[in-house]
Amino acid sequence: MMLHKDSVKALDVQSASYSSSSEKQKTLYKRTLFIVSISQVFGGAGLAAGVTVGALLAQEMLGTDAFAGLPSALFTLGSAGAALFVGTLSQRYGRRTGLTVGFIVGGLGAIGVVIAAIINSIFLLFASLLIYGAGTATNLQARYAGTDLANNKQRATAISLTMVFTTFGAVAGPNLVNVMGDFALSIGVPSLAGPFILSAVAYILAGLVLFIMLRPDPLIIAKMIEESKLKHNHREASSNTGRIENKRGVIVGATIMVLTQIVMVAIMTMTPVHMTHHGHGLGEIGLVIGFHIGAMYLPSLVTGFLVDKVGRTAIAIASGATLLLAGLLSAMAPGDSMILLVIALSLLGLGWNFGLISGTALIVDSTETSTRAKTQGRVDVLIALSGASGGVLSGMVVAYSSYSTLSFVGGILSLLLMPVVFWSRLVEVKSKLNNFLFYW
């Protein structure tokens, strides 16, 4: 009991030092971004394996294309449960605990996939892919950690900085497919399981970086700073008591991310299978997926700046337009054209990037520190479930129709972003008009 009181007292002193010093807050904000960015380099490498060879591994073990989208669906479904778990854990114990546990569990799932490939167990493969999904969910939730101590004009930029560093690992991962495949064969493991060895190491390293270095915890400090301000300012306390979560902002932000996730996952999942049917090798597939993942993360720095300066709505509309172009180009591109596939998949990644950063910024804008991590976890559950749906349906559409049909439908689906965003703007304008009329 005495130890608990001492630790609480130490935390109070720590929060007081941060709440009274804007310089210390800025320093911790920058330090948090740096540490999370390091972890994202490893996290990006970890997620790339499932994206690049997951469908091919299932195709090889099952002997059919109809369920080639199942691995993507499974690890995306696993990421749904993990998103809620990591969000709840982060809300209660801080980002450090939630993100560390998520990455370690994802690494264990990748180890399970490797064992499943060795013993040729479909059941173990599917179970391991569910667990592997924890790494995907954690990699996404890490983007929120940089926003905990950011002000309104820094939030999208903070998200983008962490995502830029994800690029280094995410692009390297697919381009190491052949290297890891050869390494796997040299130790008696099926070549398609090789990239999952890289995933296991990368995810576990990401978790260890956060566990060792993410101190003090940014979310805990942010909550304590807010509580400290409320204690010392009764007027602010009374006004904040009436503040509630902006549900419209959460709905719009979530919808933007859900739609972009469905379109991106559906087309991306079946691209390796489509390329295999047209005679492309693993190296070429890795190159296309590498460009795709690079476009998902590398433009983030510019995207974050634009979201903060131009606005969340404008970039969300740009997301829909870019995804439409990507879908149409994927549908019309000849299967043997590497250049057009690279361009189409790069546009697909860029459209997803626009949607994720603008939607995430809306979620952060619309939540309070006291409930933010939990709400973020719930939103990421929806994103993961939508990705799982896209993964399952993509395999079936291609098996019973074609890759072109899948891409065309995905592009058209992205147009749904437009009415959602316009509705949001219309409600906002009406609200401002009503406030103006009430004032006068």
Side-chain angles (χ1 to χ4, degrees), residues 6-227:
D6 289 343
S7 62
V8 170
K9 187 176 179 181
L11 281 171
D12 287 339
V13 172
Q14 190 178 53
S15 68
S17 71
Y18 278 99
S19 60
S20 61
S21 171
S22 60
E23 284 304 314
K24 288 194 73 172
Q25 290 176 30
K26 287 177 185 176
T27 302
L28 182 57
Y29 165 66
K30 291 176 182 177
R31 185 171 181 273
T32 299
L33 279 180
F34 176 71
I35 294 164
V36 172
S37 297
I38 293 173
S39 75
Q40 289 296 83
V41 174
F42 296 114
L47 70 86
V51 170
T52 309
V53 299
L56 299 177
L57 183 60
Q59 183 189 36
E60 183 179 90
M61 292 178 70
L62 292 167
T64 175
D65 288 352
F67 300 102
L70 198 55
S72 175
L74 284 170
F75 68 69
T76 309
L77 188 62
S79 74
L84 187 60
F85 176 68
V86 171
T88 304
L89 206 60
S90 298
Q91 188 67 60
R92 188 166 183 180
Y93 300 107
R95 298 285 185 194
R96 174 174 166 262
T97 301
L99 297 177
T100 297
V101 170
F103 274 130
I104 298 294
V105 171
L108 294 175
I111 293 171
V113 172
V114 175
I115 295 171
I118 293 171
I119 65 175
N120 198 33
S121 170
I122 296 295
F123 175 78
L124 180 59
L125 174 69
F126 290 166
S128 298
L129 284 168
L130 277 170
I131 300 170
Y132 170 77
T136 309
T138 309
N139 194 72
L140 264 181
Q141 287 217 17
R143 74 193 189 278
Y144 290 119
T147 67
D148 290 328
L149 294 166
N151 61 42
N152 291 357
K153 294 181 179 179
Q154 293 176 317
R155 285 169 179 167
T157 305
I159 297 162
S160 67
L161 279 169
T162 58
M163 289 181 65
V164 164
F165 278 87
T166 307
T167 311
F168 298 112
V171 172
N175 288 293
L176 290 173
V177 165
N178 280 335
V179 175
M180 293 306 300
D182 292 341
F183 171 73
L185 286 173
S186 71
I187 59 172
V189 175
S191 63
L192 287 176
F196 283 96
I197 298 174
L198 174 64
S199 280
V201 174
Y203 275 156
I204 291 170
L205 282 174
L208 290 175
V209 165
L210 292 167
F211 180 74
I212 295 167
M213 299 178 68
L214 198 60
R215 302 166 186 263
D217 191 286
L219 182 59
I220 292 175
I221 293 297
K223 287 196 286 187
M224 296 178 81
I225 289 172
E226 188 174 275
E227 288 169 7

